[in-house]
Coordinates of all heavy atoms in Angstrom, one line a residue:
R1 N 23.7 -4.3 -18.2 CA 24.6 -3.6 -17.4 C 23.8 -3.0 -16.3 O 22.8 -2.2 -16.5 CB 25.3 -2.5 -18.2 CG 26.5 -1.9 -17.4 CD 27.2 -0.9 -18.3 NE 27.0 0.4 -17.8 CZ 26.3 1.4 -18.3 NH1 25.8 1.2 -19.5 NH2 26.1 2.6 -17.7
V2 N 24.1 -3.3 -15.0 CA 23.3 -2.7 -13.9 C 24.1 -1.5 -13.4 O 25.3 -1.5 -13.1 CB 23.2 -3.7 -12.7 CG1 22.6 -3.1 -11.5 CG2 22.4 -4.9 -13.2
T3 N 23.4 -0.4 -13.3 CA 23.9 0.9 -12.7 C 23.2 1.2 -11.5 O 22.0 0.8 -11.3 CB 23.9 2.0 -13.8 OG1 22.5 2.3 -14.0 CG2 24.6 1.6 -15.1
L4 N 23.7 2.1 -10.7 CA 23.0 2.6 -9.5 C 21.7 3.3 -9.9 O 20.7 3.1 -9.2 CB 24.0 3.6 -8.8 CG 23.4 4.2 -7.5 CD1 23.1 3.1 -6.5 CD2 24.4 5.2 -6.9
G5 N 21.7 4.0 -11.0 CA 20.5 4.7 -11.5 C 19.4 3.7 -11.9 O 18.2 4.0 -11.5
R6 N 19.8 2.7 -12.5 CA 18.7 1.7 -12.9 C 18.2 1.0 -11.7 O 17.0 0.7 -11.6 CB 19.3 0.6 -13.9 CG 19.5 1.1 -15.3 CD 20.2 0.1 -16.1 NE 20.2 0.4 -17.5 CZ 20.6 -0.3 -18.5 NH1 21.0 -1.6 -18.2 NH2 20.5 0.1 -19.7
A7 N 19.1 0.6 -10.8 CA 18.6 0.0 -9.5 C 17.7 0.9 -8.7 O 16.7 0.5 -8.2 CB 19.8 -0.5 -8.7
A8 N 18.1 2.2 -8.7 CA 17.3 3.2 -7.9 C 15.9 3.4 -8.6 O 14.9 3.5 -7.9 CB 18.0 4.5 -7.8
L9 N 15.9 3.4 -9.9 CA 14.6 3.5 -10.6 C 13.7 2.4 -10.3 O 12.5 2.6 -10.0 CB 14.9 3.6 -12.1 CG 13.6 3.9 -13.0 CD1 12.9 5.2 -12.6 CD2 14.0 3.9 -14.5
V10 N 14.2 1.1 -10.4 CA 13.4 0.0 -10.0 C 12.9 0.1 -8.6 O 11.7 -0.1 -8.2 CB 14.2 -1.3 -10.2 CG1 13.4 -2.5 -9.7 CG2 14.5 -1.5 -11.7
G11 N 13.8 0.5 -7.7 CA 13.5 0.7 -6.3 C 12.4 1.8 -6.1 O 11.5 1.6 -5.2
L12 N 12.5 2.8 -6.8 CA 11.5 3.9 -6.7 C 10.1 3.4 -7.2 O 9.1 3.7 -6.5 CB 11.9 5.1 -7.5 CG 12.9 6.0 -6.9 CD1 13.4 7.1 -7.9 CD2 12.4 6.7 -5.6
W13 N 10.0 2.7 -8.3 CA 8.7 2.2 -8.7 C 8.1 1.3 -7.7 O 7.0 1.5 -7.3 CB 8.9 1.4 -10.0 CG 8.8 2.3 -11.3 CD1 9.9 2.7 -12.0 CD2 7.6 2.8 -11.9 NE1 9.4 3.5 -13.1 CE2 8.0 3.5 -13.0 CE3 6.3 2.7 -11.6 CZ2 7.1 4.2 -13.8 CZ3 5.4 3.4 -12.4 CH2 5.8 4.1 -13.5
F14 N 8.9 0.3 -7.3 CA 8.3 -0.7 -6.3 C 8.1 -0.1 -4.9 O 7.1 -0.3 -4.3 CB 9.2 -2.0 -6.3 CG 9.2 -2.8 -7.5 CD1 10.4 -3.4 -8.0 CD2 8.1 -2.9 -8.3 CE1 10.4 -4.1 -9.1 CE2 8.0 -3.7 -9.5 CZ 9.2 -4.3 -9.9
G15 N 9.1 0.7 -4.4 CA 8.9 1.3 -3.1 C 7.8 2.3 -3.1 O 7.0 2.4 -2.1
G16 N 7.7 3.0 -4.2 CA 6.6 4.0 -4.2 C 5.2 3.4 -4.2 O 4.3 3.8 -3.4
F17 N 5.0 2.3 -4.9 CA 3.7 1.7 -4.9 C 3.5 0.9 -3.6 O 2.3 0.8 -3.2 CB 3.5 0.8 -6.2 CG 3.0 1.5 -7.3 CD1 3.8 2.3 -8.1 CD2 1.6 1.5 -7.6 CE1 3.3 3.0 -9.2 CE2 1.1 2.2 -8.6 CZ 1.9 3.0 -9.4
Q18 N 4.5 0.3 -3.1 CA 4.4 -0.4 -1.8 C 4.0 0.5 -0.7 O 3.4 0.1 0.3 CB 5.6 -1.2 -1.4 CG 5.9 -2.4 -2.2 CD 4.9 -3.6 -1.9 OE1 3.8 -3.4 -1.6 NE2 5.5 -4.8 -1.9
G19 N 4.4 1.8 -0.8 CA 4.0 2.8 0.2 C 2.6 3.4 -0.1 O 1.8 3.6 0.8
L20 N 2.2 3.6 -1.4 CA 0.9 4.1 -1.7 C -0.2 3.2 -1.5 O -1.3 3.6 -1.1 CB 0.9 4.7 -3.1 CG 1.8 5.9 -3.4 CD1 1.8 6.2 -4.9 CD2 1.2 7.1 -2.6
M21 N 0.0 1.9 -1.8 CA -1.1 0.9 -1.8 C -1.6 0.7 -0.3 O -2.9 0.7 -0.2 CB -0.7 -0.4 -2.4 CG -0.6 -0.3 -3.9 SD -2.1 0.2 -4.7 CE -2.3 -1.3 -5.7
P22 N -0.8 0.6 0.7 CA -1.4 0.4 2.0 C -2.1 1.7 2.5 O -3.1 1.6 3.2 CB -0.2 0.1 2.9 CG 1.0 0.2 2.1 CD 0.6 0.4 0.7
L23 N -1.7 2.8 2.0 CA -2.4 4.1 2.4 C -3.8 4.1 1.7 O -4.7 4.4 2.4 CB -1.6 5.3 1.9 CG -2.1 6.7 2.3 CD1 -2.2 6.8 3.8 CD2 -1.2 7.7 1.7
A24 N -3.8 3.7 0.5 CA -5.1 3.5 -0.2 C -6.0 2.5 0.5 O -7.2 2.7 0.7 CB -5.0 3.2 -1.7
G25 N -5.4 1.4 0.9 CA -6.2 0.4 1.7 C -6.7 0.9 3.0 O -7.8 0.6 3.4
W26 N -5.8 1.7 3.7 CA -6.2 2.2 5.0 C -7.4 3.2 4.8 O -8.4 3.1 5.6 CB -5.1 3.0 5.6 CG -5.4 3.7 6.9 CD1 -5.5 3.1 8.1 CD2 -5.7 5.0 7.0 NE1 -5.9 4.0 9.0 CE2 -6.0 5.2 8.4 CE3 -5.8 6.1 6.2 CZ2 -6.4 6.5 8.9 CZ3 -6.2 7.3 6.7 CH2 -6.5 7.5 8.0
F27 N -7.4 4.0 3.7 CA -8.5 4.9 3.5 C -9.8 4.1 3.2 O -10.9 4.4 3.8 CB -8.3 5.8 2.3 CG -7.5 7.0 2.6 CD1 -6.3 7.2 1.9 CD2 -7.9 7.9 3.5 CE1 -5.5 8.3 2.2 CE2 -7.1 9.0 3.8 CZ -5.9 9.2 3.2
L28 N -9.7 3.0 2.5 CA -10.9 2.1 2.2 C -11.4 1.5 3.5 O -12.5 1.5 3.8 CB -10.5 1.0 1.2 CG -10.4 1.5 -0.2 CD1 -9.9 0.3 -1.1 CD2 -11.8 1.9 -0.8
G29 N -10.4 0.9 4.2 CA -10.8 0.2 5.5 C -11.3 1.1 6.5 O -12.3 0.7 7.3
S30 N -10.8 2.3 6.6 CA -11.3 3.2 7.7 C -12.8 3.7 7.4 O -13.5 4.0 8.3 CB -10.4 4.4 7.8 OG -10.4 5.2 6.6
R31 N -13.2 3.6 6.2 CA -14.6 3.9 5.8 C -15.5 2.9 6.4 O -16.7 3.2 6.7 CB -14.8 4.0 4.3 CG -14.0 5.1 3.6 CD -14.8 6.3 3.7 NE -14.2 7.3 2.9 CZ -14.0 8.6 3.3 NH1 -14.3 8.9 4.5 NH2 -13.4 9.4 2.5
F32 N -15.1 1.6 6.5 CA -16.0 0.6 7.0 C -15.6 0.0 8.4 O -16.3 -0.9 8.8 CB -15.9 -0.6 6.0 CG -16.3 -0.2 4.6 CD1 -15.3 0.0 3.6 CD2 -17.6 0.1 4.2 CE1 -15.6 0.4 2.3 CE2 -17.9 0.5 2.9 CZ -16.9 0.6 2.0
A33 N -14.6 0.6 9.0 CA -14.1 0.1 10.3 C -15.2 0.1 11.3 O -15.3 -0.9 12.1 CB -12.9 0.9 10.8
A34 N -16.0 1.1 11.4 CA -17.1 1.2 12.4 C -18.1 0.0 12.3 O -18.7 -0.4 13.3 CB -17.8 2.5 12.3
Y35 N -18.3 -0.5 11.1 CA -19.3 -1.5 10.8 C -18.8 -2.9 11.1 O -19.6 -3.8 11.3 CB -19.8 -1.4 9.4 CG -20.3 -0.1 9.0 CD1 -19.6 0.7 8.1 CD2 -21.5 0.3 9.5 CE1 -20.2 2.0 7.8 CE2 -22.1 1.6 9.2 CZ -21.4 2.4 8.3 OH -21.9 3.6 8.0
I36 N -17.5 -3.1 11.1 CA -17.0 -4.4 11.3 C -16.0 -4.6 12.4 O -15.2 -5.5 12.5 CB -16.4 -4.9 10.0 CG1 -15.3 -3.9 9.4 CG2 -17.4 -5.2 9.0 CD1 -14.7 -4.4 8.1
T37 N -16.0 -3.7 13.4 CA -15.1 -3.7 14.5 C -15.1 -5.1 15.3 O -14.1 -5.5 15.7 CB -15.4 -2.6 15.5 OG1 -15.3 -1.4 14.8 CG2 -14.4 -2.6 16.7
A38 N -16.3 -5.7 15.4 CA -16.4 -7.0 16.1 C -15.6 -8.1 15.5 O -15.2 -9.0 16.2 CB -17.8 -7.4 16.3
V39 N -15.3 -8.0 14.2 CA -14.6 -9.1 13.5 C -13.4 -8.6 12.8 O -12.8 -9.4 12.0 CB -15.6 -9.8 12.4 CG1 -16.7 -10.5 13.1 CG2 -16.1 -8.8 11.4
D40 N -12.9 -7.4 13.2 CA -11.7 -6.9 12.5 C -10.5 -7.8 12.6 O -9.7 -7.9 11.7 CB -11.4 -5.5 12.9 CG -11.1 -5.4 14.4 OD1 -11.2 -6.4 15.1 OD2 -10.9 -4.2 14.9
H41 N -10.3 -8.4 13.8 CA -9.1 -9.3 14.0 C -9.2 -10.5 13.0 O -8.2 -10.9 12.6 CB -9.0 -9.7 15.4 CG -10.3 -10.3 15.9 ND1 -11.4 -9.6 16.3 CD2 -10.6 -11.6 16.2 CE1 -12.3 -10.4 16.7 NE2 -11.9 -11.6 16.6
W42 N -10.4 -11.0 12.8 CA -10.5 -12.1 11.9 C -10.3 -11.7 10.5 O -9.7 -12.4 9.7 CB -11.9 -12.7 12.0 CG -12.2 -13.5 13.3 CD1 -12.9 -13.0 14.3 CD2 -11.6 -14.7 13.6 NE1 -12.8 -14.0 15.3 CE2 -12.1 -15.0 14.9 CE3 -10.8 -15.7 12.9 CZ2 -11.7 -16.2 15.5 CZ3 -10.5 -16.8 13.6 CH2 -11.0 -17.1 14.9

C-alpha cells in the first residue's frame, strides 16, 4: 500500500542525500581547486 507518508519518506531519504553529497564534494573539490585550475574543465 503506497501512502503519501511512505512516498515522502523515500523522497526525504533520497533528496536529502542528493543534496548533501554534492555539498560534501564541493568542500573536497574546493580544497584542491587552486592546484588543478588548468585542467578543471577536463
Side-chain angles (χ1 to χ4, degrees):
R1 196 176 108 247
V2 172
T3 65
L4 182 61
R6 286 179 170 183
L9 182 60
V10 171
L12 282 172
W13 273 103
F14 292 143
F17 272 83
Q18 286 286 37
L20 289 174
M21 291 297 245
L23 185 60
W26 177 81
F27 278 121
L28 287 171
S30 62
R31 295 274 189 231
F32 303 106
Y35 302 109
I36 52 178
T37 303
V39 294
D40 60 358
H41 54 284
W42 288 104

